[in-house]
Coordinates of all heavy atoms in Angstrom, one line a residue:
D28 N 6.2 25.2 27.7 CA 7.1 26.2 27.1 C 6.4 27.1 26.1 O 5.4 26.6 25.6 CB 8.4 25.6 26.6 CG 8.2 24.8 25.3 OD1 8.0 25.5 24.3 OD2 8.3 23.6 25.4
P29 N 6.9 28.3 25.8 CA 6.1 29.2 24.9 C 6.1 28.7 23.4 O 5.3 29.3 22.7 CB 6.9 30.5 25.0 CG 8.1 30.3 25.8 CD 8.0 28.9 26.4
S30 N 6.8 27.7 23.1 CA 6.8 27.2 21.7 C 5.8 26.1 21.5 O 5.9 25.4 20.5 CB 8.2 26.8 21.2 OG 8.6 25.6 21.9
R31 N 4.9 25.9 22.4 CA 4.0 24.7 22.4 C 2.7 25.1 23.1 O 2.7 25.8 24.1 CB 4.8 23.6 23.1 CG 4.0 22.3 23.3 CD 4.8 21.3 24.2 NE 6.1 21.2 23.9 CZ 6.6 20.2 23.1 NH1 5.9 19.3 22.6 NH2 7.9 20.1 22.9
V32 N 1.6 24.5 22.5 CA 0.3 24.6 23.2 C -0.1 23.1 23.3 O -0.2 22.4 22.3 CB -0.7 25.4 22.5 CG1 -2.0 25.4 23.2 CG2 -0.2 26.8 22.2
L33 N -0.4 22.6 24.5 CA -0.8 21.3 24.8 C -2.3 21.3 25.1 O -2.7 21.9 26.0 CB 0.0 20.7 25.9 CG -0.3 19.2 26.3 CD1 0.0 18.3 25.2 CD2 0.6 18.9 27.5
F34 N -3.1 20.5 24.3 CA -4.5 20.4 24.5 C -4.9 19.0 24.9 O -4.3 18.0 24.5 CB -5.2 20.6 23.1 CG -5.1 22.0 22.6 CD1 -4.2 22.3 21.5 CD2 -5.9 23.0 23.1 CE1 -4.1 23.5 21.0 CE2 -5.8 24.3 22.5 CZ -4.9 24.6 21.5
A35 N -6.0 18.9 25.7 CA -6.7 17.7 25.9 C -7.8 17.6 24.9 O -8.5 18.6 24.7 CB -7.2 17.6 27.4
I36 N -7.9 16.4 24.3 CA -9.1 16.2 23.4 C -10.2 15.6 24.3 O -10.0 14.6 24.9 CB -8.7 15.2 22.3 CG1 -7.6 15.7 21.5 CG2 -10.0 14.9 21.4 CD1 -7.0 14.7 20.5
M37 N -11.3 16.4 24.4 CA -12.3 16.0 25.4 C -13.6 15.5 24.7 O -14.0 16.0 23.7 CB -12.7 17.3 26.2 CG -11.5 18.0 26.9 SD -10.8 17.0 28.2 CE -12.2 17.0 29.4
K38 N -14.1 14.5 25.3 CA -15.4 13.9 24.9 C -16.2 13.5 26.2 O -15.7 12.9 27.1 CB -15.2 12.6 24.1 CG -16.5 11.9 23.6 CD -16.1 10.6 22.9 CE -17.3 9.7 22.8 NZ -17.6 9.0 24.1
D39 N -17.4 14.0 26.3 CA -18.2 13.8 27.4 C -17.5 14.2 28.7 O -17.6 13.5 29.7 CB -18.7 12.3 27.5 CG -19.5 11.9 26.3 OD1 -20.2 12.8 25.7 OD2 -19.5 10.7 25.9
G40 N -16.8 15.3 28.7 CA -16.1 15.8 29.9 C -14.9 15.0 30.3 O -14.3 15.3 31.4
K41 N -14.4 14.1 29.5 CA -13.2 13.3 29.8 C -12.2 13.4 28.7 O -12.5 13.4 27.5 CB -13.6 11.8 30.0 CG -14.6 11.6 31.1 CD -14.7 10.1 31.4 CE -15.7 9.8 32.5 NZ -15.7 10.6 33.7
P42 N -10.9 13.4 29.1 CA -9.9 13.4 28.1 C -9.7 12.1 27.4 O -9.7 11.0 28.0 CB -8.6 13.8 28.9 CG -8.8 13.3 30.2 CD -10.3 13.4 30.5
I43 N -9.7 12.1 26.0 CA -9.6 10.9 25.3 C -8.3 10.9 24.4 O -8.0 10.0 23.6 CB -10.8 10.6 24.4 CG1 -11.0 11.7 23.4 CG2 -12.0 10.4 25.3 CD1 -12.0 11.3 22.3
G44 N -7.6 12.0 24.5 CA -6.4 12.1 23.7 C -5.7 13.5 24.0 O -6.2 14.3 24.7
E45 N -4.5 13.6 23.3 CA -3.8 14.9 23.5 C -3.4 15.4 22.1 O -3.2 14.6 21.2 CB -2.6 14.8 24.4 CG -1.5 14.0 23.8 CD -0.2 14.1 24.6 OE1 -0.3 14.2 25.9 OE2 0.9 14.0 24.0
L46 N -3.4 16.7 21.9 CA -3.0 17.3 20.7 C -2.1 18.4 21.0 O -2.4 19.2 22.0 CB -4.2 17.8 19.9 CG -3.9 18.3 18.5 CD1 -5.1 17.9 17.6 CD2 -3.7 19.7 18.5
Q47 N -1.0 18.5 20.3 CA 0.0 19.6 20.6 C 0.2 20.4 19.3 O 0.2 19.8 18.2 CB 1.3 19.0 21.0 CG 1.3 18.3 22.3 CD 2.7 17.8 22.6 OE1 3.6 18.6 22.7 NE2 2.8 16.5 22.8
L48 N 0.3 21.7 19.4 CA 0.8 22.5 18.4 C 2.2 22.9 19.0 O 2.3 23.5 20.0 CB 0.0 23.8 18.2 CG -1.4 23.5 17.6 CD1 -2.3 24.7 17.6 CD2 -1.3 22.8 16.2
K49 N 3.2 22.4 18.3 CA 4.6 22.6 18.9 C 5.5 23.2 17.8 O 5.1 23.4 16.7 CB 5.1 21.2 19.3 CG 5.2 20.2 18.2 CD 5.5 18.8 18.8 CE 5.6 17.8 17.7 NZ 6.0 16.5 18.2
R50 N 6.7 23.5 18.3 CA 7.7 24.2 17.4 C 7.0 25.5 16.8 O 7.2 25.7 15.6 CB 8.2 23.3 16.4 CG 9.1 22.2 16.9 CD 9.9 21.4 15.9 NE 9.1 20.4 15.2 CZ 8.9 19.2 15.5 NH1 9.5 18.7 16.5 NH2 8.2 18.3 14.7
I51 N 6.2 26.2 17.6 CA 5.5 27.4 17.2 C 6.6 28.4 16.9 O 7.4 28.8 17.8 CB 4.5 27.9 18.2 CG1 3.5 26.8 18.4 CG2 3.9 29.2 17.8 CD1 2.5 27.1 19.6
N52 N 6.6 28.9 15.6 CA 7.5 29.9 15.2 C 6.7 31.1 14.7 O 6.2 31.1 13.6 CB 8.4 29.4 14.1 CG 9.5 30.4 13.6 OD1 9.2 31.6 13.6 ND2 10.6 29.9 13.3
Y53 N 6.6 32.1 15.6 CA 5.7 33.3 15.2 C 6.3 34.1 14.1 O 5.5 34.7 13.3 CB 5.5 34.1 16.5 CG 4.6 33.4 17.5 CD1 5.1 32.8 18.6 CD2 3.2 33.4 17.3 CE1 4.3 32.2 19.5 CE2 2.4 32.7 18.2 CZ 2.9 32.1 19.3 OH 2.1 31.5 20.2
E54 N 7.6 34.1 14.0 CA 8.2 34.9 12.9 C 7.9 34.3 11.6 O 7.5 35.0 10.6 CB 9.7 35.0 13.2 CG 10.5 35.9 12.2 CD 11.9 36.1 12.6 OE1 12.2 36.3 13.8 OE2 12.8 35.9 11.7
D55 N 8.1 33.0 11.4 CA 7.9 32.3 10.2 C 6.4 31.9 10.0 O 6.0 31.4 8.9 CB 8.7 31.1 10.0 CG 10.2 31.4 9.9 OD1 10.5 32.6 9.5 OD2 11.0 30.5 10.2
R56 N 5.6 32.0 11.1 CA 4.2 31.7 11.1 C 4.0 30.2 10.8 O 3.1 29.9 10.0 CB 3.4 32.6 10.2 CG 3.5 34.1 10.7 CD 2.7 35.0 9.8 NE 1.3 34.7 9.8 CZ 0.5 34.8 8.7 NH1 1.0 35.2 7.5 NH2 -0.7 34.4 8.7
E57 N 4.8 29.4 11.4 CA 4.6 27.9 11.2 C 4.7 27.2 12.6 O 5.3 27.7 13.5 CB 5.8 27.4 10.4 CG 5.7 27.7 8.9 CD 6.7 26.8 8.1 OE1 6.9 25.7 8.4 OE2 7.1 27.4 7.1
C58 N 4.0 26.1 12.6 CA 4.1 25.2 13.8 C 3.8 23.8 13.3 O 3.6 23.5 12.1 CB 3.0 25.6 14.8 SG 1.3 25.4 14.3
T59 N 3.9 22.8 14.2 CA 3.8 21.4 13.9 C 2.7 20.8 14.8 O 2.7 21.0 16.0 CB 5.1 20.6 14.1 OG1 6.1 21.2 13.3 CG2 5.0 19.2 13.8
L60 N 1.8 20.0 14.2 CA 0.7 19.4 14.9 C 1.2 18.0 15.3 O 1.8 17.3 14.5 CB -0.5 19.3 14.0 CG -1.8 18.7 14.6 CD1 -3.0 19.4 14.1 CD2 -1.8 17.2 14.2
S61 N 0.8 17.6 16.5 CA 1.1 16.2 17.0 C -0.2 15.8 17.7 O -0.8 16.5 18.5 CB 2.3 16.2 17.9 OG 2.4 15.0 18.6
I62 N -0.7 14.5 17.4 CA -1.9 14.0 18.1 C -1.7 12.6 18.5 O -1.0 11.8 17.8 CB -3.1 14.2 17.1 CG1 -4.4 13.8 17.9 CG2 -2.9 13.4 15.8 CD1 -5.7 14.1 17.1
H63 N -2.2 12.3 19.7 CA -2.2 10.9 20.2 C -3.5 10.6 20.9 O -3.9 11.4 21.8 CB -1.0 10.7 21.1 CG 0.3 10.9 20.5 ND1 0.9 10.0 19.6 CD2 1.1 12.0 20.6 CE1 2.1 10.5 19.2 NE2 2.2 11.7 19.8
M64 N -4.2 9.6 20.5 CA -5.4 9.2 21.1 C -5.1 8.2 22.2 O -4.1 7.4 22.2 CB -6.4 8.6 20.1 CG -6.7 9.5 18.9 SD -7.4 11.1 19.4 CE -9.0 10.6 19.9
Q65 N -5.9 8.2 23.3 CA -5.7 7.4 24.5 C -5.6 5.9 24.3 O -4.7 5.3 24.9 CB -6.8 7.7 25.5 CG -6.6 7.1 26.8 CD -7.8 7.5 27.8 OE1 -9.0 7.5 27.4 NE2 -7.5 7.9 29.0
N66 N -6.5 5.3 23.5 CA -6.4 3.9 23.3 C -7.3 3.5 22.1 O -8.0 4.4 21.5 CB -6.9 3.2 24.6 CG -8.3 3.6 25.1 OD1 -9.2 3.7 24.3 ND2 -8.4 4.0 26.4
D67 N -7.3 2.2 21.8 CA -8.1 1.8 20.6 C -9.6 2.0 20.8 O -10.3 2.1 19.7 CB -7.9 0.3 20.4 CG -6.5 0.0 19.7 OD1 -5.9 1.0 19.3 OD2 -6.0 -1.1 19.7
G68 N -10.1 2.2 22.0 CA -11.5 2.4 22.2 C -12.0 3.7 21.6 O -13.2 3.9 21.4
V69 N -11.1 4.7 21.5 CA -11.5 6.0 21.0 C -10.9 6.3 19.6 O -11.1 7.4 19.1 CB -11.0 7.1 22.0 CG1 -11.8 7.0 23.3 CG2 -9.5 7.2 22.2
K70 N -10.3 5.3 19.0 CA -9.8 5.5 17.6 C -10.9 4.9 16.6 O -11.7 4.1 16.9 CB -8.5 4.7 17.4 CG -7.4 5.2 18.3 CD -6.1 4.4 18.2 CE -5.1 4.9 19.1 NZ -3.9 4.1 19.1
G71 N -10.8 5.5 15.4 CA -11.7 5.1 14.4 C -13.1 5.6 14.4 O -14.0 5.1 13.8

């Protein structure tokens, strides 16, 4: 939807997480970041 940009976090050509800029409000120029990593092997 237009109020969100969904990204894949890529390492070595493979997705290891997702990151979203959501609740994008162009009038107020604000959005919210959300991030989730795939598993413990890519955290830290």
Side-chain angles (χ1 to χ4, degrees):
D28 71 71
S30 70
R31 174 186 315 263
V32 180
L33 179 61
F34 294 101
I36 302 168
M37 304 294 291
K38 177 183 162 287
D39 299 330
K41 298 190 181 317
I43 62 166
E45 70 172 33
L46 188 145
Q47 297 180 57
L48 294 173
K49 58 187 182 181
R50 296 191 281 267
I51 299 170
N52 182 324
Y53 290 100
E54 187 175 309
D55 293 339
R56 299 180 58 216
E57 285 194 35
C58 66
T59 300
L60 180 145
S61 170
I62 184 170
H63 300 284
M64 301 305 285
Q65 186 179 43
N66 55 50
D67 285 345
V69 296
K70 295 177 185 174

